[in-house]
């Protein structure tokens, strides 16, 4: 099959009637052959972006290019873009073959696509005679048989159960790589985004927050929103004050009982900052210590998390909850047990308290600093 050209989106905005700004000046490139996952909470503008690329809605501002052509304003049927929705409708009066061939001339192509999707043995069945996963494969097949210039998938697997979804996701990734067409896959599931994307684009309230590889998004989130959105429990973010007295930096958050010496791992900015760390970066010993009471325990099977109430240090009355991952094979604490844990200082993230934007610490690359290890 031919390799599709890329998608280029420049300054794309969409304001719906009234003043709903569904998309706000989005710039995004998807290379030929790339699988980009577009992720964000409900209402962040994901479907709107796909509909604009497909030509189903007109942008308020901005341009869209597919390969060498500017397709802004071009009607949908002349864009050669395939869009697959979660609740797709197959033609119930047509067999699988009929669904794949609908509007096509290239029957050889149909056989090839059916083979790729592992549905060759289902070609003579009707949609009502297929499982949900098989129907989803037929819908994908119907989209790719046209050899579109771009493949747009809007939560295509979300109606399926978890094992089927995992299996199809892997197949989809391989299929997309084999076909080499630029693909945007929409999901609101951060774990799915990390598992599937060559790159991830994160949307919130119509604004692009970050684009990057799964590793960049998880390990170097561009702002507080991305930090808290990704990870099974998100990132903890504590507001406090960074000061350098006599040159050595200390981070203090009095409502959480925190006073951490941060030699070598502090950002250059001082003042009100957000300190972020992931639940899995809790370790038994470290100069960055947290003390609290166990407020809840949650097991996800492979990992157990505890919420620690770290208030009450300085006569605080409101709860300050921090999520930590408990070390495996240790006896689980009970509710209200006191617990002291350390946070790996080399795994701290820093954000500006006012803007939420990432600040880089002085210690790059982020390797373990032996002097900071207890
Ligand atoms: P979900 O994950 O829930 O599908 P989404 O990220 O796909 O959400 P969109 O469907 O793109 O979000 O909606 C973005 C914003 O635009 C929302 O505030 C929504 O209410 C609004 N919106 C979408 N379509 C229209 C429309 N036709 N008219 C007015 N407002 C709309």
């Amino acid at each position: 099959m031919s390799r599709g050209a890329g998608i280029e989106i420049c300054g794309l905005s969409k304001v719906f009637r009234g003043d709903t700004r569904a998309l706000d000046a989005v710039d995004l490139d998807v290379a030929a052959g790339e699988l980009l996952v577009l992720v964000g909470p409900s209402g962040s503008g994901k479907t709107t972006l796909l509909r604009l690329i497909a030509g189903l809605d007109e942008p308020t501002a901005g341009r869209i290019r597919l390969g060498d052509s500017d397709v802004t304003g071009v009607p949908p049927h002349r864009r050669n873009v395939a869009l697959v929705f979660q609740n797709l409708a197959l033609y119930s009066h047509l067999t699988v073959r009929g669904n794949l061939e609908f509007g096509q001339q290239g029957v050889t192509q149909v056989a090839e696509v059916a083979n790729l999707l592992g549905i060759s043995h289902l070609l003579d069945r009707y949609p009502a005679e297929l499982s949900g996963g098989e129907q989803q494969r037929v819908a994908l097949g119907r989209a790719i048989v046209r050899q579109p210039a771009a493949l747009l998938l809007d939560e295509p697997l979300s109606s399926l159960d978890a094992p089927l979804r995992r299996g199809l996701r892997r197949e989809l990734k391989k299929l997309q790589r084999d076909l080499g067409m630029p693909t945007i896959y929409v999901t609101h599931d951060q774990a799915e985004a990390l598992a599937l994307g060559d790159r991830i684009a994160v949307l919130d309230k119509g604004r692009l927050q970050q684009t990057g590889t799964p590793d960049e998004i998880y390990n170097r989130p561009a702002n507080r929103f991305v930090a808290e959105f990704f990870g099974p429990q998100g990132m903890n973010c504590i507001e406090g004050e960074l000061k350098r007295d006599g040159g050595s930096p200390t981070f203090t958050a009095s409502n959480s009982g925190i006073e951490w010496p941060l030699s070598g791992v502090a950002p250059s900015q001082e003042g009100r900052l957000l300190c972020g760390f992931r639940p899995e970066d809790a370790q038994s010993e470290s100069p960055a210590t947290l003390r609290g009471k166990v407020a809840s325990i949650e097991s996800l099977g492979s990992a157990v998390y505890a919420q620690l109430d770290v208030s009450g240090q300085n006569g605080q009355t409101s709860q300050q909850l921090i999520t930590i991952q408990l070390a495996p094979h240790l006896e689980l604490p009970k509710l209200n047990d006191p617990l002291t844990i350390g946070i790996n200082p080399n795994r701290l993230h820093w954000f500006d308290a006012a803007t939420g934007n990432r600040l880089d610490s002085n210690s790059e690359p982020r390797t373990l600093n032996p002097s900071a290890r207890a």
Side-chain angles (χ1 to χ4, degrees):
M1 278 198 194
S2 66
R3 177 165 276 260
I7 307 169
E8 202 180 312
I9 289 158
C10 188
L12 205 62
S13 295
K14 178 69 183 175
V15 182
F16 285 107
R17 260 179 309 122
D19 58 356
T20 308
R21 188 166 282 273
L23 276 185
D24 195 359
V26 168
D27 295 318
L28 193 62
D29 285 349
V30 188
E34 185 177 33
L35 173 53
L36 180 114
V37 175
L38 182 64
V39 66
S42 185
S44 56
K46 306 180 296 293
T47 299
T48 302
L49 181 55
L50 291 198
R51 289 180 59 85
L52 292 178
I53 298 170
L56 301 176
D57 284 324
E58 284 295 309
T60 311
R63 315 295 307 171
I64 302 165
R65 293 181 70 84
L66 290 176
D68 295 332
S69 318
D70 188 326
V71 297
T72 325
V74 172
H77 63 276
R78 290 188 35 224
R79 295 195 185 194
N80 194 21
V81 165
L83 180 54
V84 178
F85 289 104
Q86 172 191 346
N87 296 318
L88 50 111
L90 295 173
Y91 299 114
S92 57
H93 63 291
L94 295 178
T95 60
V96 168
R97 187 192 309 279
N99 269 279
L100 292 177
E101 286 176 353
F102 193 81
Q104 302 293 317
Q105 289 108 33
V107 177
T108 330
Q109 189 67 24
V110 166
E112 189 186 336
V113 167
N115 195 28
L116 271 173
L117 285 162
I119 52 173
S120 303
H121 62 295
L122 303 173
L123 284 172
D124 295 323
R125 290 209 204 159
Y126 287 89
E129 299 166 335
L130 302 175
S131 72
E134 289 163 347
Q135 289 185 23
Q136 209 69 30
R137 278 170 220 239
V138 177
L140 277 172
R142 209 172 58 178
I144 61 181
V145 81
R146 294 164 42 196
Q147 299 197 41
L151 184 58
L152 308 177
L153 306 171
D154 196 350
E155 309 233 16
L157 309 181
S158 55
S159 57
L160 306 176
D161 62 61
L164 188 56
R165 193 180 161 121
R166 271 197 301 275
L168 261 182
R169 198 164 66 204
R170 284 191 203 110
E171 288 174 30
L172 180 68
K173 190 164 182 163
K174 181 176 179 310
L175 179 75
Q176 191 273 339
R177 199 170 290 149
D178 291 348
L179 295 172
M181 56 186 70
T183 300
I184 301 182
Y185 182 105
V186 159
T187 181
H188 59 265
D189 179 346
Q190 55 83 31
E192 183 160 81
L194 290 169
L196 188 62
D198 293 327
R199 277 191 312 143
I200 297 171
V202 190
L203 266 184
D204 183 40
K205 300 190 183 82
R207 287 181 161 249
L208 199 57
Q209 305 293 314
Q210 185 174 5
T211 47
T213 62
D215 178 58
E216 286 164 346
I217 297 277
Y218 192 79
N219 290 313
R220 294 184 57 79
N223 57 34
R224 179 183 192 164
F225 175 82
V226 177
E228 291 181 335
F229 191 77
F230 283 86
Q233 303 279 332
M235 188 183 278
N236 297 293
C237 282
I238 299 175
E239 186 168 346
E241 188 91 13
L242 190 98
K243 284 195 186 136
R244 276 185 178 75
D245 289 331
S248 90
T250 303
F251 180 70
T252 310
S254 46
N255 57 356
S256 307
I258 286 176
E259 190 165 339
W260 293 345
L262 291 172
S263 186
V265 295
S268 46
Q269 184 169 320
E270 295 182 23
R272 298 300 296 170
L273 300 184
L274 291 170
C275 178
F277 57 88
R278 295 209 175 272
E280 65 266 30
D281 292 326
Q283 56 185 31
S284 54
E285 289 182 71
S286 156
T289 304
L290 274 175
R291 288 185 190 81
K293 275 189 182 168
V294 176
S296 67
I297 295 180
E298 186 181 8
S299 172
L300 298 189
S302 58
V304 182
Y305 297 92
Q307 278 204 309
L308 216 53
D309 181 3
V310 295
S311 60
Q313 303 292 317
N314 288 325
Q316 291 290 317
T317 47
S318 60
Q319 276 199 326
Q320 295 285 325
L321 295 175
I322 299 293
T323 305
I324 56 158
Q325 187 176 337
L326 296 172
H329 315 305
L330 285 186
E331 197 183 329
L332 286 184
K334 294 190 243 350
L335 283 185
N336 292 321
D337 274 359
L339 201 63
T340 301
I341 49 119
I343 306 300
N344 183 344
N346 292 284
R347 300 287 302 157
L348 297 178
H349 302 250
W350 297 96
F351 306 99
D352 185 287
T355 64
N357 290 336
R358 182 182 190 83
L359 305 167
D360 274 315
S361 74
N362 292 329
S363 63
E364 297 290 348
R366 298 169 66 83
T367 49
L368 264 184
N369 168 7
S371 66
R373 242 191 294 205

